[in-house]
């Protein structure tokens, strides 16, 4: 299965399911930044508990991590 691409004028990420020894994970990759993360179902569900304001505060005055 090909990765799913989601983008706008500010960001581009690729999503795909990854099988691990501990079950499936969602891999989110930012090719532009060269970063990725694997999230398990518990973490993904926890994201649904958050309000939009939580993410707004997280992103305020942030350009994200720098790469080496």
């Amino acid at each position: 299965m090909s990765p799913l691409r989601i983008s706008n004028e500010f960001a581009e990420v690729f999503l795909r399911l990854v099988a691990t020894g501990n079950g499936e994970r969602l891999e989110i990759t930012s090719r532009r930044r060269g970063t990725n993360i694997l999230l398990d179902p518990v973490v993904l569900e926890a994201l649904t508990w958050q309000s939009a304001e939580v993410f707004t505060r997280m992103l305020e005055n942030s350009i994200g991590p720098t790469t080496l």
Side-chain angles (χ1 to χ4, degrees), residues 14-27:
F14 294 85
L15 310 171
R16 72 181 184 114
L17 287 178
V18 176
T20 73
N22 293 319
E24 288 186 323
R25 303 292 186 259
L26 177 66
E27 180 181 49

Side-chain angles (χ1 to χ4, degrees), residues 3 5 9 11 18 22 30 36-37 41 46 53 55 58 60 62:
R5 177 182 167 266
E9 63 272 24
V18 176
N22 293 319
S30 170
N36 73 316
I37 190 168
E53 292 80 28
F55 298 104
M58 183 176 66
E60 285 177 349
S62 173

Side-chain angles (χ1 to χ4, degrees), residues 29-61:
T29 301
S30 170
R31 292 181 185 166
R32 182 179 60 143
R33 291 197 172 274
T35 56
N36 73 316
I37 190 168
L38 291 174
L39 303 175
D40 69 25
V42 174
V43 171
L44 291 168
E45 183 177 340
L47 290 175
T48 70
W49 307 338
Q50 308 308 311
S51 67
E53 292 80 28
V54 169
F55 298 104
T56 299
R57 285 193 313 266
M58 183 176 66
L59 294 171
E60 285 177 349
N61 302 315

